[in-house]
Amino acid sequence: MTLYPHASPQSVWEALQAGNKRFCAAQEKNPHRDDHRRETLRTGQNPAAVVLACSDSRVPVELIFDVGFGDLFVIRTAGEITDPAVLASLEYAVDGLGVPLIVVMGHESCGAVAAATDALDNGEIPDGWQRILVERVTPSILAARREDRHSKSDYERIHVTETIGQLMHRLPHLPEHIERGEIGVVGLRYMLADGHVETVATHGVS
């Protein structure tokens, strides 16, 4: 990925897609992972995208897109759920760092989605702070069922689209930025089996 000021949402999205194809084909270029790159980042950063992804250890964001130091501003929470700190981090990436692309990435076999499904079906609600994960993901499961979509993969996809919907409503002026072509938003689902990212939703890019 070549980073430069004023990169367009479309060019960044295409670069991420190309990186994922290299990753899936075991043809990684491993860019921006040397001493020189680290040295150049001492005085600041200019990431090409902000990625809100699940904390799952099987989903290494930079590896999936074949990028390196300083290329992505990554925010990770279990189930890629949002809270004020996550929203503030996203807002900083957009307003403070000027990233042209927001990526929301769920994944295959998501534990948070499975826990929310079990809570709805069997009343199995985790104790302690993990309860928050179920509470935040459950509306996505209900939204999927209202659309008569009942598979685990459907739940994971709908959770990504519901999370994007939250960002559209809660990040100031995001829809206007998209309308003006300043920012793109992409929803993805990472496949553990083969490493490719499935496109779930796009706004402002194609």
Side-chain angles (χ1 to χ4, degrees):
M1 177 185 297
T2 299
L3 299 184
Y4 52 91
H6 312 301
S8 71
Q10 185 66 35
S11 66
V12 174
W13 171 221
E14 290 173 0
L16 292 182
Q17 289 176 291
N20 181 244
K21 288 180 180 178
R22 293 194 301 272
F23 172 74
C24 292
Q27 297 176 346
E28 297 96 325
K29 295 181 180 179
N30 300 315
H32 297 164
R33 300 183 189 179
D34 57 14
D35 293 345
H36 175 70
R37 177 62 172 174
R38 289 199 303 270
E39 180 67 24
T40 62
L41 292 170
R42 291 180 63 190
T43 57
Q45 60 176 317
N46 180 35
V50 55
V51 181
L52 172 59
C54 183
S55 298
D56 194 295
S57 63
R58 300 167 293 176
V59 188
V61 177
E62 284 85 356
L63 297 183
I64 288 168
F65 295 112
D66 191 26
V67 297
F69 296 118
D71 291 338
L72 300 176
F73 189 89
V74 180
I75 305 162
R76 301 185 67 168
T77 62
E80 69 273 1
I81 64 171
T82 61
D83 63 15
V86 169
L87 292 170
S89 298
L90 285 162
E91 186 179 67
Y92 169 70
V94 171
D95 294 342
L97 299 177
V99 299
L101 186 70
I102 298 173
V103 178
V104 176
M105 187 167 69
H107 66 92
E108 181 182 25
S109 301
C110 180
V113 171
T117 303
D118 287 342
L120 284 172
D121 293 342
N122 307 312
E124 297 179 1
I125 302 176
D127 294 328
W129 290 104
Q130 294 180 69
R131 184 186 187 99
I132 294 174
L133 302 179
V134 169
E135 293 172 347
R136 296 296 178 86
V137 178
T138 293
S140 298
I141 310 301
L142 296 174
R145 292 180 177 181
R146 284 195 298 270
E147 297 179 14
D148 199 26
R149 298 170 64 178
H150 299 280
S151 70
K152 291 181 180 179
S153 58
D154 284 335
Y155 296 159
E156 290 160 357
R157 295 185 187 102
I158 291 293
H159 182 51
V160 169
T161 60
E162 289 289 303
T163 301
I164 289 174
Q166 293 175 29
L167 301 187
M168 292 291 193
H169 285 96
R170 302 179 71 184
L171 286 180
H173 312 300
L174 179 56
E176 290 89 340
H177 285 306
I178 295 171
E179 182 68 24
R180 291 194 295 265
E182 298 166 349
I183 294 177
V185 179
V186 177
L188 304 174
R189 177 171 170 259
Y190 173 67
M191 306 302 292
L192 300 177
D194 63 11
H196 89 274
V197 289
E198 171 191 24
T199 303
V200 175
T202 59
H203 302 271
V205 296
S206 60

